[in-house]
């Protein structure tokens, strides 16, 4: 389709997303000098006049609902207008990724991250509810995590609607699996539909899977008649013991049995005392870091967010230098996006040398090709000296008389290398290992040199996965 150069006063500077009924553009407001996201609906695609009216009213409803809200956890709306065949909303341009992308990469989030997400979400919902607005479609795809770790709620298109006629049209609009029972059967409802959806999200993050799954009909039946699988069968017993009553209080089929408001829900979560307060407070979701040349920034239709944010510095861990871990985290963020920091912290707690750290991290990268690319990046860092190590170091004098640092390769690492390489290369493996050990100035470089002996792609990635600790 032909994309406009302008929508109203806004200059179009990019395309963020495109769906069946409309497009989300990146734009520029010349009057204020700021970037905006512009969500549009092509009115001519509506099947009939009544559908067009309903779509237009939903647009106006979103502008009215969010226009009255001023909260750091809610995407701001600036303007509502029409331009030729397009109705549009100009809104805050947010750099980040939505939570569905984060959960796709890392289904089981660490508990401090879960709590941070829930506290921010419930704070935003409580504010919106106090202003007489309830969202009605809370789900991971409508929750953006910015590059600074701030959660932003977006897409209020089906928020509480005052028009009785429009309510009838949209009363069952929502996302299967996140809709409360009263939404399915068309009963009157209130802000507690958002409490139910937030409970679904909490369960999803704790269990690594949604509480209700299957076809739309199966999900509807389960929500109306069945309880989700107990958390005790899906996660750690300590987590299950604490969170199961909270999940039950949010997912009650009878709205009257749910938490009365988001504050009550949040207060229940605040009773979690076993999570280190400092760790929870400092936990930041890294959305993305420097990306490869030509690699597109992440976007999501309906929000207008993308980015090339810089990864924040890794908090120091016992035995690790934060500046040493930063290049590892930055490289991993290319492939794992928002969870790079968390994954590096987890791996750093389990091992005390860079080879072990990198080997652990490769296990978190789903794509074999990406694993190989990650290893190549690590080798580059090792060759340029930007990686350090907590491993023991010895001083050697080169032919030029210059003193250089050389990290000792442990006998265990050499033995493992011989075994791994023998599977792939047969009798010649010992020679290759010996040559790599002679060249390598660190265990990281040693593993990287061995991997170079394999063809780039799945075979190289497979070799790396065999260097497990």
């Amino acid at each position: 389709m032909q994309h406009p150069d302008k929508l109203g006063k806004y200059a179009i500077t990019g395309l963020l997303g495109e769906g069946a009924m409309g497009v989300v553009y990146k734009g520029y407001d010349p009057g204020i000098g700021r970037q905006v996201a512009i969500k549009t609906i092509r009115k001519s695609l509506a099947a009939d006049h009544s559908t067009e009216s309903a779509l237009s009213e939903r647009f106006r409803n979103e502008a009215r609902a969010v226009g009255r809200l001023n909260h750091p956890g809610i995407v701001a709306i600036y303007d509502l207008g029409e331009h030729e065949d397009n109705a549009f909303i100009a809104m805050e341009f947010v750099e980040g990724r939505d939570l569905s992308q984060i959960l796709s990469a890392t289904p089981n989030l660490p508990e401090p991250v879960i709590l941070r997400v829930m506290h921010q979400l419930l704070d935003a919902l409580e504010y919106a509810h106090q202003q007489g607005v309830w969202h009605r479609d809370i789900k991971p795809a409508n929750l953006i995590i910015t590059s600074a770790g701030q959660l932003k709620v977006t897409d209020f298109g089906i928020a509480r609607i005052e028009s009785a006629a429009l309510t009838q049209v949209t009363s069952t609009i929502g996302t299967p699996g996140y809709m409360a029972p009263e939404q399915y059967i068309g009963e009157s409802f209130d802000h507690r539909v958002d409490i139910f959806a937030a409970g679904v999200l909490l369960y999803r993050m704790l269990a690594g899977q949604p509480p209700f799954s299957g076809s739309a009909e199966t999900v509807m039946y389960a929500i109306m008649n069945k309880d989700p699988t107990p958390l005790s069968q899906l996660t750690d017993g300590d987590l299950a013991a604490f969170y199961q009553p909270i999940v039950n209080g949010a997912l009650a089929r009878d709205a009257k049995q749910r938490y009365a408001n988001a504050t009550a829900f949040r207060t229940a979560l605040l009773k979690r005392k076993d999570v280190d307060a400092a760790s929870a407070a400092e936990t930041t979701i890294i959305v993305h870091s420097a990306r490869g040349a030509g690699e597109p920034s992440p976007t999501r239709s309906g929000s207008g967010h993308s980015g090339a944010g810089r990864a924040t510095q890794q908090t120091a861990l016992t035995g690790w230098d934060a500046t040493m871990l930063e290049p590892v985290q930055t490289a991993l963020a290319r492939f794992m996006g928002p969870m790079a920091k968390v994954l590096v912290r987890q791996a750093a707690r389990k091992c005390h040398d860079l080879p072990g750290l990198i080997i652990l991290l490769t296990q978190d990268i789903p794509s074999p090709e990406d694993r190989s690319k990650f290893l190549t990046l690590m080798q580059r860092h090792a060759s340029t000296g930007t990686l350090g190590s907590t491993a023991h170091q010895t001083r050697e004098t080169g032919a030029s008389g210059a003193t250089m640092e050389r990290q000792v390769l442990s006998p265990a690492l050499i033995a493992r290398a011989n075994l791994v390489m023998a599977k792939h290369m047969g009798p010649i493996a010992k020679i290759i290992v010996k040559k790599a050990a002679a060249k390598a100035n660190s265990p990281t470089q040693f593993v990287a040199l061995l991997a170079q002996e394999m063809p780039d792609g799945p075979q190289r990635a497979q070799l790396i996965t065999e260097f497990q600790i």
Side-chain angles (χ1 to χ4, degrees):
M1 61 167 290
Q2 289 285 339
H3 296 291
D5 295 324
K6 293 185 67 177
L7 284 170
K9 66 179 180 180
Y10 304 100
I12 302 302
T13 60
L15 177 66
L16 297 177
E18 188 167 5
M21 298 301 294
V23 180
V24 182
Y25 295 103
K26 184 177 180 181
Y28 180 77
D29 183 342
I32 299 179
R34 67 182 171 193
Q35 292 182 334
V36 296
I38 305 173
K39 183 163 67 173
T40 70
I41 279 186
R42 295 195 291 272
K43 297 184 292 182
S44 62
L45 295 181
D48 52 44
H49 179 71
S50 62
T51 303
E52 178 184 332
S53 297
L55 289 171
S56 297
E57 182 59 26
R58 281 185 61 188
F59 240 52
R60 288 190 291 272
N61 180 75
E62 180 168 7
R64 287 195 303 265
V66 186
R68 63 197 289 184
L69 304 180
N70 181 18
H71 188 277
I74 297 173
V75 173
I77 285 195
Y78 303 139
D79 194 9
L80 170 69
E82 294 191 6
H83 182 89
E84 297 177 351
D85 187 42
N86 292 297
F88 68 84
I89 292 175
M91 63 182 68
E92 178 184 4
F93 179 82
V94 180
E95 294 188 2
R97 285 189 176 183
D98 66 53
L99 189 55
S100 67
Q101 295 170 317
I102 294 172
L103 291 172
S104 176
T106 310
N108 294 99
L109 298 178
E111 188 181 7
V113 175
I114 294 173
L115 287 172
R116 185 176 177 86
V117 167
M118 291 303 300
H119 287 318
Q120 292 188 76
L121 169 61
L122 292 170
D123 183 64
L125 288 178
E126 182 60 23
Y127 172 81
H129 295 166
Q130 288 174 350
Q131 307 305 311
V133 176
W134 41 92
H135 190 284
R136 303 204 303 168
D137 197 21
I138 293 296
K139 60 182 178 181
N142 286 339
L143 305 175
I144 310 168
I145 306 296
T146 74
S147 54
Q150 170 69 52
L151 180 140
K152 294 263 189 180
V153 183
T154 190
D155 277 349
F156 277 77
I158 60 169
R160 183 184 68 90
I161 300 168
E162 296 178 0
S163 166
L166 190 60
T167 299
Q168 185 177 4
V169 172
T170 62
S171 59
T172 58
I173 290 180
T175 300
Y178 288 85
M179 292 167 60
E182 58 267 33
Q183 286 176 280
Y184 278 108
I185 61 179
E187 287 184 351
S188 61
F189 52 81
D190 58 19
H191 62 281
R192 285 172 291 191
V193 297
D194 290 343
I195 301 298
F196 185 92
V200 173
L201 176 65
L202 175 60
Y203 183 104
R204 164 70 181 82
M205 292 191 292
L206 289 167
Q209 65 182 49
F212 312 103
S213 59
S215 66
E217 294 78 9
T218 300
V219 166
M220 180 177 69
Y221 179 82
I223 287 176
M224 300 297 297
N225 299 283
K226 294 184 177 181
D227 294 327
T229 301
L231 288 173
S232 60
Q233 298 182 24
L234 301 170
T235 189
D236 177 77
D238 176 62
L239 288 179
F242 176 79
Y243 286 104
Q244 188 68 64
I246 297 177
V247 167
N248 293 344
L251 296 183
R253 282 189 282 274
D254 183 351
K256 295 177 182 178
Q257 301 301 315
R258 285 179 218 147
Y259 289 111
N261 49 52
T263 297
F265 193 165
R266 190 166 181 241
T267 299
L269 292 173
L270 287 171
K271 294 178 181 178
R272 179 62 167 169
K273 303 298 184 183
D274 295 337
V275 177
D276 178 71
S279 175
E282 75 183 8
T283 298
T284 300
I285 303 175
I286 297 179
V287 177
H288 37 69
S289 182
R291 313 187 77 78
E295 183 180 354
S297 297
T299 61
R300 185 180 69 78
S301 176
S303 62
H305 55 280
S306 63
R310 179 184 176 277
T312 57
Q313 182 171 340
Q314 171 73 42
T315 302
L317 296 169
T318 302
W320 288 98
D321 181 353
T323 58
M324 176 181 63
L325 291 178
E326 187 170 3
V328 179
Q329 179 180 303
T330 301
L332 185 65
R334 285 190 170 192
F335 312 104
M336 299 303 294
M339 291 310 299
K341 180 178 181 180
V342 173
L343 294 172
V344 170
R345 286 181 63 84
Q346 289 178 327
R349 289 191 179 101
K350 296 177 181 178
C351 58
H352 301 285
D353 61 275
L354 272 170
L357 182 76
I358 292 169
I359 291 166
L360 283 179
L361 291 174
T362 58
Q363 312 310 307
D364 294 309
I365 302 175
S367 164
E369 291 80 7
D370 286 346
R371 290 179 203 159
S372 178
K373 291 176 183 177
F374 174 67
L375 175 67
T376 300
L377 287 173
M378 290 298 92
Q379 182 192 2
R380 245 181 244 159
H381 281 301
S383 64
T384 57
T386 55
L387 287 178
S389 177
T390 56
H392 177 64
Q393 295 181 333
T394 60
R395 289 185 175 271
E396 292 186 352
T397 302
S400 63
T403 300
M404 56 186 176
E405 298 288 346
R406 180 179 177 84
Q407 298 170 23
V408 174
L409 303 181
S410 70
L413 180 59
I414 298 292
R416 176 171 287 276
N418 281 324
L419 288 173
V420 170
M421 295 304 293
K423 293 180 184 178
H424 296 275
M425 312 198 76
I428 197 175
K430 288 187 177 181
I431 298 174
I432 293 172
V433 170
K434 186 175 181 179
K435 287 183 178 180
K439 292 180 181 179
N441 291 321
S442 69
T444 302
Q445 189 178 22
F446 173 63
V447 175
L449 288 170
L450 293 177
Q452 278 193 329
E453 299 295 330
M454 303 297 295
D456 191 11
Q459 292 183 53
R460 184 178 295 182
Q462 176 60 31
L463 182 142
I464 293 303
T465 64
E466 295 177 28
F467 275 89
Q468 299 182 24
I469 297 179

